Amino acid sequence: MASEAVCSHRDPMLKKRDDFEDILEERRNSSDLRYALKCYTPVLYKQLTPCTASDLKNMVLCSTQVHFVIAQVSKETGAAPEEVQAEASSILEEMAHRLQLGPIRFFAFVLCKVFKTLFRSVCVNEEGIQRLQQSIHEHPVVLLPSHRSYMDFLLMSYILYTYDLALPVIAAGMDFMGMKILGEMLRMSGAFFIRRSFGGDKLYWAVFSEYVRTMLKTGFAPVEFFLEGTRSRTSKSLTPKLGLLNIVMEPFLKGEVFDVALVPVSISYERILEESLYARELLGVPKPKESTSGLFKARKVLSENYGSIHVYFGQPVSVRSLAEGRVQRGQFNLIPRHIPRRPSEDVQGFVNDSAYQLLRAQEENMVLKPWVLLSSLLLRGGGMMMEELSEGAVWLRELCRQYGAFLHWPDHVPPAEVVSSSLDLHRGLVTISDGRGAGLTAEEELLSQAVIILSCASYRNQALHVFVRPALLATALQAAGSAHKQDVFNTFNFLRNMFANEFILCPGAAVQDFEEACFLLMKTGVVLMEQEEVLVTENGHRTITFLTSILDPFLQGYQVVCRFLCEASTESLTEAQFVPAVRTFIVRLLLSGRLRYSEVLSSDLQKNALAALQRLGAVHKLKRCVCVPTLKVNTVMVNSLEDTLGKNRPEDEPLTNANTCLFLCVQVENFPL
């Protein structure tokens, strides 16, 4: 099927990697003011329709689609067309950017100072920049960066300005618009502000979609948005949001442009500015409201070292090539183009598959730093001797490379020094100890410990795309009860289906994922295939143990959610009440020593587990009240799923684990620091 072709299996070791350039190096040796005031003459789209930000708004308000919807809304509500027209104009005024070069130069100057203070280096792949430059000239371009930090959209504009590329117009949440002074500065730097949710507001959707399409069709500027919709608090890729992707593909599907180039961009941070903030959000602490005063209060981060950033501009993806053989564009000629219509089933499937392909391209080009490997090792158990940690990191480094990971590990530096440097950068999360440790037991202290654990887990999660398929296979091998390939695949498929909300797994590609996992485990000597049986080799047990430990916190988390739904009184439980209630349940289990992983306190994991149970039909929303639907639990099915998940977990070990200690402890033994 087509979705299987999208995620086709290939040898990851055959991939060529681009070289990186540190764009801060020149900034450290030259004038920031001269940089900000430099001659800026970017290459533009060859079919550019010259227009100002004001012209754009007029084009949107005069479009046949907006006029059609105004007439519709006027008829449905009884309001005069002039009133609806005025409302559309007000929506556009609230939304639209006012891109100007002056504020861009101001930000260029300020960001130079900030980036040089915060980061050791900002590395960009130059070949990707060259590909992007050509794409901007040839076609309308859509930039799709990964989203792990508030810094992402500032970083993107800074890089494009540095390389004399056309600056993007950026979809931003309304939260930023409310920031005094800064909100308007962002608007003048290319941000356009959209509501998080439109509900059934036809007029808002019509104005918004026409605005984005007009910018794209005229070639006014590259359009930038985050495919995941919001920042990932866990550093895992989030399930894609399809609304904006539908909109930017439409001009090609309707024959209004020859092609649209989609450019996945992978932004990898060695240390994330919001790491502890994210962990607290996952534990139920409300997200601070975006404000200018809050930004100034956060200036203390300028005294910290956040290591390096790698930004990889991926291969531009042609919408024309994606759509070939997938979408019959003739269907868009059956009704006038200005009449809004819901995408057909084949278009929805095409956009969904494309979104997963783009997210996987983002993942594959994420650059993994040493701390990603170290946190993966430290989260598995108690304190480790430094020598043991260094040896484990070298072993895991080679495994990552064999699996095709994009790894930034300085080979010319002794492993001990790499480990020591990484521990020093993340000293807020790890304690260097002489063998003495401490454990806390009170609930308030447990939640403080969980902040450390979830922060470390967010770094380990950066490597999940490398390990998730082999980990699903390793877990299936232990749980299938048979080495027969079909039995192992059935268990693999069950796990893959259960975790479809947790990881980026392309729809309809279960066989390809299984074959890829088999290939990687065979290639690294972990399994053998004999007469339709998958057998673990004598040398493969260490890898199998590591891979199952990667998946185990998620298995236990989903088990606990199932147990909660069966044991707790859920007759009147709403979706909003679910997370606080399950968190209280989990805290009791952790305090009693009946639960192994404090990672299970993550609201992201809990919500994904509930979404999976709803998708599988084990939990339904019951609309007793129109405003607040309650959850109806099929106890028999949920119990069955909990039992099955338990069979897929490794044999239980003692539940007292360093994962519930205050810090990740590294013991020193004749190790250079």
Side-chain angles (χ1 to χ4, degrees), residues 331-584:
Q331 64 185 280
F332 293 94
N333 297 324
L334 299 177
I335 59 174
R337 291 176 185 170
H338 66 271
I339 298 178
R341 53 178 283 183
R342 291 184 65 83
S344 62
E345 193 173 320
D346 66 321
V347 170
Q348 283 181 317
F350 161 68
V351 174
N352 189 53
D353 288 348
S354 300
Y356 274 88
Q357 178 181 357
L358 291 161
L359 275 183
R360 189 154 186 205
Q362 275 183 6
E363 286 185 330
E364 289 176 344
N365 291 321
M366 296 297 279
V367 178
L368 307 184
K369 314 297 173 67
W371 177 243
V372 172
L373 309 188
L374 297 177
S375 57
S376 301
L377 295 169
L378 288 167
L379 283 166
R380 294 180 62 199
M384 300 175 71
M385 305 303 291
M386 290 289 253
E387 190 176 342
E388 178 190 1
L389 182 61
S390 182
E391 184 277 330
V394 170
W395 173 81
L396 190 52
R397 177 191 69 187
E398 296 314 308
L399 187 65
C400 282
R401 285 175 173 168
Q402 288 175 313
Y403 284 2
F406 202 160
L407 192 62
H408 177 68
W409 183 291
D411 286 314
H412 61 283
V413 179
E417 289 184 28
V418 175
V419 170
S420 178
S421 173
S422 189
L423 292 175
D424 182 59
L425 183 67
H426 296 277
R427 56 187 176 275
L429 299 178
V430 66
T431 297
I432 308 298
S433 166
D434 61 359
R436 293 187 297 272
L440 304 176
T441 54
E443 179 176 334
E444 184 180 344
E445 293 166 332
L446 173 65
L447 295 176
S448 297
Q449 297 163 20
V451 170
I452 303 293
I453 298 302
L454 289 175
S455 296
C456 287
S458 73
Y459 289 100
R460 179 214 54 208
N461 289 347
Q462 292 180 25
L464 284 178
H465 67 278
V466 177
F467 294 121
V468 66
R469 291 161 186 81
L472 288 168
L473 177 56
T475 304
L477 283 166
Q478 292 202 343
S482 160
H484 193 273
K485 188 175 180 180
Q486 187 61 50
D487 295 332
V488 174
F489 172 75
N490 291 342
T491 307
F492 175 95
N493 198 33
F494 165 78
L495 291 168
R496 187 185 182 280
N497 194 26
M498 178 60 74
F499 291 126
N501 295 85
E502 200 71 55
F503 311 115
I504 297 302
L505 299 163
C506 298
V511 172
Q512 284 68 30
D513 284 346
F514 181 72
E515 293 298 337
E516 180 179 326
C518 287
F519 168 78
L520 290 172
L521 291 188
M522 284 191 294
K523 173 187 171 186
T524 50
V526 176
V527 299
L528 291 172
M529 300 288 289
E530 290 185 0
Q531 297 179 340
E532 289 301 303
E533 287 194 327
V534 188
L535 304 171
V536 179
T537 65
E538 188 64 34
N539 295 328
H541 290 291
R542 182 179 186 179
T543 303
I544 291 289
T545 301
F546 170 76
L547 291 172
T548 54
S549 74
I550 287 282
L551 210 58
D552 198 33
F554 300 98
L555 282 164
Q556 186 172 82
Y558 279 48
Q559 259 190 292
V560 169
V561 169
C562 289
R563 191 180 310 171
F564 164 76
L565 290 171
C566 291
E567 292 182 10
S569 175
T570 57
E571 289 81 8
S572 59
L573 186 70
T574 67
E575 204 162 3
Q577 295 166 335
F578 165 76
V579 169
V582 77
R583 184 184 297 120
T584 302

